[in-house]
Amino acid sequence: MPAGSAADGEPNPAVIKGVLHARGVIPTPDVRLPLLPADRAAVEAALKRLADLG
């Protein structure tokens, strides 16, 4: 799996915000319209990929 694949699962930056929130970097994963919140599975996949990278 290429490095960006987990984050590329959705067509907006919400996955990145979800990961940053899960890691405590930002206070909320919220995005403004017209963006939609990231799917939980996409955020978890990105977090797993980051963990696999070390």
Side-chain angles (χ1 to χ4, degrees):
M1 172 188 316
S5 293
D8 293 336
E10 296 192 26
N12 66 56
V15 174
I16 303 302
K17 288 196 78 172
V19 168
L20 292 173
H21 173 68
R23 292 183 138 200
V25 177
I26 60 174
T28 176
D30 295 346
V31 293
R32 293 176 293 190
L33 291 174
L35 299 178
L36 298 174
D39 180 69
R40 184 179 188 138
V43 173
E44 289 174 4
L47 287 167
K48 182 182 181 321
R49 181 65 179 143
L50 284 172
D52 290 346
L53 292 173

